[in-house]
Amino acid sequence: MTEMATSVRYAEQTRFGAARRCKVALVGFGTVGQAVAKLLSARADEHSLELTHVFNRSVERKKSVWNSHHVHWTEDFNDVLASDVDIVVELVGGVDHAYQWVRSALESGKSVVTANKQLMARHGSELMELARRKQRVLAYGAAVAGGVPVISGLHEGLGGDRLQKVCGVLNGTCNYILTRIERDGTSFADALLEAQKAGFAEADPTDDVDGYDARAKLVILARAGLNAEVSPEQVVARSIRPLKRMDFDYANRLGCTIRQVSRAELGDGVLRAAVEPALVSQESPLAKVSGSQNLVMSMGEFGGETVFSGYGAGGNPTAVAVVSDLLYVVRLQSQLMMEPDRPRPRQFDVNADFTAARYLRFVVRDSAGIIASLAGVLAEHQLNIDSILQLPGHEKSALPFVITLEPCQTSEVESAMEEIRKFSFLAEAPLNMPILH
């Protein structure tokens, strides 16, 4: 080993080895940031991590929540960049500012841990490549499913397999709402209000209930598990807002329940991906997820099905994932190792044209010939009816019933539904969901 190499090696050992503690800066001190700070403090005698900087707006107000004489508080991110901090933890959320801060931290030679799903969905590949060039680490296990170690499980635990499919329940807010509707007959509006009061849902719940939050997580899972590069805008996201208690009643008749399901699968050189409410068999692991829990399933060519589950939302579960990422970074860099050089994600054609049985729920103003009219359109599109269900006790002016279809392609059903929506006997827009067995 040359004298220069020996000097560099000694410097790195001093920086990340046992000679001194690894210095950490928190960027953002909200619910998760505070939980991370408390966890680092509670376990300070068990690891080499030392929280030295906190960057946030209104730091005086934040200090009243949690304060330490050993922490430098700042409202200027340049203070973090100019410091001797080893790892920057980004917990602010959003995309634009977070992107600039994470990029600047990596450029300055600092490793980064982030829980930012939107950032990693939109800029993950670029930032990971920058981290490789700078010989630093970008860890993002907390960005998907909170405290559930999905990303590390896909990368390390299943790294020897060739994964073909990932799917899961990725949004705790939606799962909480659907569980309340199913178990107690709560309306969507009331269940959403409860979720907001409990802290599961934001004041503006759009990202959660319309599927955009889960879509960002699915993009990250597709990259990590399927080695597929896809942007959020390429993934179809459908809302859970149209769901009613009656849909759970009908689903129960079919041996199913309803969950917001995110799924991506590779086949014939195409990536099929979507986030949408779906009927799932009551025997499926997806049906067992309740409240604010998350679950991810992967299917490998050689290893078959693997399931990851646990509590994904909230400060403490996410803080556990963040601190686990911090310890992972320290382990790598204390041993003068970088993250494994994984294959670069590949581009695929992307669509949502899955093949599955379908659930079609109609609410009509009752009159003669309705079933015949619907059956005629479905037949024109080569769609085979599997069953027709109608529960009693509804007014003729708003009469609900369900038609289930044998397995067919999503595009075929959507084409038929375009024609069906023109019928004047419809009292409200029909609902179309896949049935996943």
Side-chain angles (χ1 to χ4, degrees):
M1 184 180 291
T2 67
E3 182 178 347
M4 179 176 291
T6 301
S7 176
V8 169
R9 182 179 178 86
Y10 176 77
E12 289 293 317
Q13 286 175 332
T14 301
R15 186 177 182 193
F16 291 106
R20 73 169 180 84
R21 298 174 71 78
C22 182
K23 296 184 177 181
V24 176
L26 289 182
V27 177
F29 204 69
T31 300
V32 176
Q34 292 168 33
V36 170
K38 291 174 183 177
L39 182 53
L40 289 175
S41 176
R43 300 192 61 193
D45 59 340
E46 302 174 43
H47 54 64
S48 62
L49 299 167
E50 180 183 2
L51 178 59
T52 61
H53 290 71
V54 174
F55 164 66
N56 203 91
R57 292 178 298 177
S58 305
V59 294
E60 292 302 322
R61 178 171 56 86
K62 293 295 183 179
K63 283 182 182 181
S64 66
V65 177
W66 183 90
N67 198 3
S68 170
H69 298 299
H70 304 291
V71 174
H72 174 70
W73 295 77
T74 181
E75 297 181 15
D76 185 352
F77 186 70
N78 289 319
D79 289 346
V80 175
L81 293 179
S83 73
D84 60 351
V85 158
D86 303 303
I87 308 173
V88 173
V89 180
E90 185 275 308
L91 301 172
V92 175
V95 176
D96 294 339
H97 290 304
Y99 170 76
Q100 294 299 330
W101 291 328
V102 169
R103 185 173 182 85
S104 297
L106 291 170
E107 290 278 11
S108 70
K110 303 179 189 303
S111 290
V112 173
V113 169
T114 180
N116 192 327
K117 52 190 169 287
Q118 295 291 349
L119 173 69
M120 292 306 298
R122 297 178 182 281
H123 300 290
S125 291
E126 173 197 346
L127 293 172
M128 286 186 286
E129 179 59 32
L130 174 59
R132 277 190 286 265
R133 290 202 312 269
K134 292 294 182 177
Q135 296 188 318
R136 289 294 171 253
V137 182
L138 172 60
Y140 56 97
V144 179
V148 184
V150 175
I151 299 300
S152 61
L154 295 178
H155 277 161
E156 310 304 331
L158 298 176
D161 204 350
R162 182 185 297 130
L163 301 187
Q164 302 166 321
K165 180 189 303 184
V166 291
C167 71
V169 174
L170 303 180
N171 184 274
T173 299
C174 284
N175 211 48
Y176 178 89
I177 291 171
L178 296 180
T179 299
R180 292 287 290 120
I181 296 173
E182 177 182 26
R183 290 182 178 176
D184 303 302
T186 307
S187 69
F188 174 87
D190 287 344
L192 173 58
L193 185 60
E194 286 181 16
Q196 289 170 323
K197 289 181 178 178
F200 295 131
E202 301 290 339
D204 180 359
T206 300
D207 280 2
D208 292 323
V209 300
D210 292 343
Y212 304 134
D213 173 86
R215 181 175 70 176
K217 296 172 183 175
L218 182 63
V219 167
I220 296 170
L221 287 177
R223 186 186 300 132
L226 306 180
N227 196 34
E229 188 64 61
V230 57
S231 69
E233 288 73 22
Q234 291 177 284
V235 177
V236 168
R238 298 188 175 95
S239 181
I240 67 167
R241 294 178 195 267
L243 290 171
K244 299 181 179 180
R245 173 59 189 264
M246 75 170 78
D247 295 307
F248 286 94
D249 294 336
Y250 281 113
N252 185 59
R253 286 286 190 96
L254 296 166
C256 296
T257 187
I258 302 171
R259 295 289 182 263
Q260 183 202 57
V261 178
S262 305
R263 52 185 174 144
E265 63 180 49
L266 288 172
D268 303 321
V270 173
L271 177 70
R272 295 175 181 85
V275 176
E276 59 189 336
L279 277 73
V280 297
S281 168
Q282 291 175 349
E283 302 304 314
S284 167
L286 295 170
K288 310 299 183 185
V289 186
S290 63
S292 61
Q293 291 179 319
N294 283 187
L295 179 142
V296 175
M297 300 168 58
S298 68
M299 179 63 69
E301 181 178 346
F302 304 99
E305 184 179 275
T306 302
V307 178
F308 306 85
S309 67
Y311 286 95
N316 287 333
T318 307
V320 169
V322 169
V323 174
S324 297
D325 277 347
L326 282 166
L327 294 172
Y328 169 72
V329 175
V330 171
R331 281 197 302 274
L332 283 181
Q333 298 194 157
S334 65
Q335 299 168 24
L336 304 183
M337 296 170 60
M338 294 298 103
E339 279 196 287
D341 191 15
R342 299 183 178 92
R344 302 300 191 268
R346 297 174 292 162
Q347 299 280 349
F348 293 91
D349 290 332
V350 181
N351 64 49
D353 208 10
F354 292 94
T355 298
R358 306 296 294 194
Y359 168 101
L360 310 179
R361 187 255 287 161
F362 302 94
V363 179
V364 301
R365 290 177 283 272
D366 196 22
S367 62
I370 289 177
I371 296 295
S373 298
L374 295 173
V377 174
L378 296 173
E380 288 176 5
H381 290 267
Q382 306 299 309
L383 300 170
N384 296 325
I385 293 176
D386 182 53
S387 67
I388 300 176
L389 297 86
Q390 186 172 35
L391 297 175
H394 295 275
E395 298 291 332
K396 294 286 188 179
S397 59
L399 190 65
F401 65 92
V402 165
I403 294 176
T404 64
L405 303 179
E406 294 179 0
C408 51
Q409 287 184 279
T410 302
S411 59
E412 296 170 342
V413 179
E414 290 180 344
S415 179
M417 295 303 285
E418 282 187 22
E419 293 186 37
I420 287 173
R421 290 187 190 98
K422 299 174 184 176
F423 285 129
S424 60
F425 55 70
L426 292 174
E428 60 183 66
L431 179 64
N432 166 24
M433 294 187 289
I435 305 173
L436 307 180
H437 292 294

